[in-house]
Amino acid sequence: PEMATRVYLALCVCGFCAALLYLCRARDPSGGSPQLLLALPLCTGYPFFHGFLNYLAALPVLTFGAGFLLRNPQGRGVRGVLALVGLPTLAYLCHGTALGAWGVLLLVQTWVGRSRAFAWRAALGLAPVLGLVLLYIAQRSAEGAAITWSAGSVWATVLYRIRSPLRFFSVFQGLTPTFDDPSLVWIAPLLVSLNALYALGLGLASVRWALRARSSTDAGERFLALSVLALTAAFVLLPHDAAKMLNPAERLLIPLACFGVAGMSGRSRSRQPLMRWGLFLLLGAQALYTAIYGTRAALIARDVAAARERYRAQAVQAPEIGGLTPP
């Protein structure tokens, strides 16, 4: 089981990296790498450390789907039909929020392309999944799942949404390190500062670019810009709790940032070296933190396993000391 978990996580991370590269190259075949670096730290960020296993599998599917819509906006051909059928099915099997985000992408692409043929292909591709969604809703309703628009007061919910990007764009364990390793305590201020700058910069830059590019003459750029704005609106307006899924709107943040990163043209060449070195610093700090975190976690797991073996040995010897026969 431990090896299967490691392989699964490695496949999710590598798949997300490959899907990001595919998306950035679909947007700009000659210069996608600088944009790719902006989102690369998210591959092993908050969802990875907190064990959002279904969501980790959904991110490559959704990112690859956005790249597919850039490369084949009309969904033509056998590959297009297979993708329009297979991608929503995979998204549903991974995470419901990913399926919702895919629906947003299809609506935006239909609006940008103004193609009835694509709308029909997209609708036919979603038809098999809609039956599964209806069955899921019926099951969850029978279990008593409800929709909650706010957690406590409305102001508390608003503050929670404002803090969500800082938390979900966190490339370390939460926003602050939680293990009591002396090395992590020493570098904690640097990590928190880097994390806050990265989260604010990535979120604001994506929305700022989308507002400027929403009326672009380039169909691909307009598609990504409107997708970012639509997902931002969904993040703000969706309920806090739907079908006992704590704040599913948070899961829209990482796809939102990935689409914004892919859409940025990178025309400001003078800032690219500064951006590149800043990202290298962030990636280096993330690698250092992951190494310390992983080592500390491995030591704790080893101590727990040793204590468990000692407990088992004592549990077997205790009946013998009392003159009883162990079971």
Side-chain angles (χ1 to χ4, degrees):
E2 181 181 357
M3 180 58 66
T5 303
R6 292 185 179 185
V7 171
Y8 174 84
L9 290 175
L11 289 176
C12 287
V13 172
C14 293
F16 192 16
C17 292
L20 274 173
L21 181 61
Y22 177 81
L23 173 60
C24 289
R25 291 302 185 188
R27 174 70 186 100
D28 184 7
S30 62
S33 295
Q35 293 93 326
L36 173 66
L37 287 176
L38 284 170
L40 200 57
L42 297 175
C43 294
T44 53
Y46 183 87
F48 176 81
F49 280 110
H50 286 262
F52 294 174
L53 300 183
N54 294 44
Y55 182 68
L56 283 175
L59 287 174
V61 176
L62 193 57
T63 307
F64 176 82
F68 159 75
L69 291 177
L70 285 175
R71 292 174 183 266
N72 190 355
Q74 298 300 319
R76 293 193 177 98
V78 177
R79 291 184 179 181
V81 174
L82 291 176
L84 289 175
V85 174
L87 285 172
T89 304
L90 286 176
Y92 172 82
L93 294 175
C94 293
H95 201 283
T97 305
L99 178 62
W102 174 250
V104 171
L105 293 181
L106 292 180
L107 289 175
V108 171
Q109 180 59 34
T110 302
W111 174 264
V112 171
R114 305 297 175 90
S115 171
R116 293 184 178 180
F118 174 79
W120 277 108
R121 295 189 192 101
L124 291 175
L126 285 174
V129 181
L130 291 179
L132 297 175
V133 171
L134 292 176
L135 291 174
Y136 177 79
I137 292 175
Q139 176 189 347
R140 298 298 284 167
S141 299
E143 295 174 356
I147 297 177
T148 304
W149 287 97
S150 62
S153 66
V154 176
W155 180 240
T157 304
V158 171
L159 290 178
Y160 182 87
R161 288 294 168 91
I162 293 175
R163 296 195 307 267
S164 289
L166 290 175
R167 186 166 69 98
F168 229 72
F169 289 153
S170 176
V171 294
F172 308 108
Q173 168 72 1
L175 187 61
T176 56
T178 56
F179 271 107
D180 57 351
D181 190 280
S183 302
L184 290 180
V185 174
W186 182 72
I187 65 173
L190 172 63
L191 299 184
V192 173
S193 300
L194 287 175
N195 206 123
L197 289 174
Y198 176 73
L200 292 173
L202 184 63
L204 294 177
S206 297
V207 175
R208 179 172 176 266
W209 167 82
L211 288 172
R212 291 185 172 185
R214 68 186 186 278
S215 301
S216 172
T217 56
D218 186 294
E221 186 175 26
R222 192 163 69 254
F223 161 70
L224 289 174
L226 292 177
S227 297
V228 169
L229 294 178
L231 291 176
T232 302
F235 166 72
V236 174
L237 298 176
L238 279 179
H240 180 80
D241 187 358
K244 297 182 180 179
M245 293 172 57
L246 181 61
N247 198 3
E250 282 185 327
R251 274 69 174 175
L252 300 176
L253 287 173
I254 290 183
L256 182 157
C258 292
F259 302 155
V261 164
M264 295 178 192
S265 60
R267 295 174 183 174
S268 181
R269 302 295 179 183
S270 61
R271 295 184 180 180
Q272 283 192 4
L274 179 62
M275 179 190 72
R276 187 177 291 110
W277 283 109
L279 288 167
F280 285 157
L281 174 63
L282 180 62
L283 289 171
Q286 188 180 31
L288 175 63
Y289 175 79
T290 303
I292 298 174
Y293 179 93
T295 302
R296 182 67 175 173
L299 292 175
I300 292 176
R302 187 188 63 182
D303 295 340
V304 170
R308 184 180 301 161
E309 291 299 325
R310 289 195 301 269
Y311 174 77
R312 287 178 180 174
Q314 293 173 0
V316 172
Q317 293 176 0
E320 295 179 352
I321 295 175
L324 300 175
T325 303

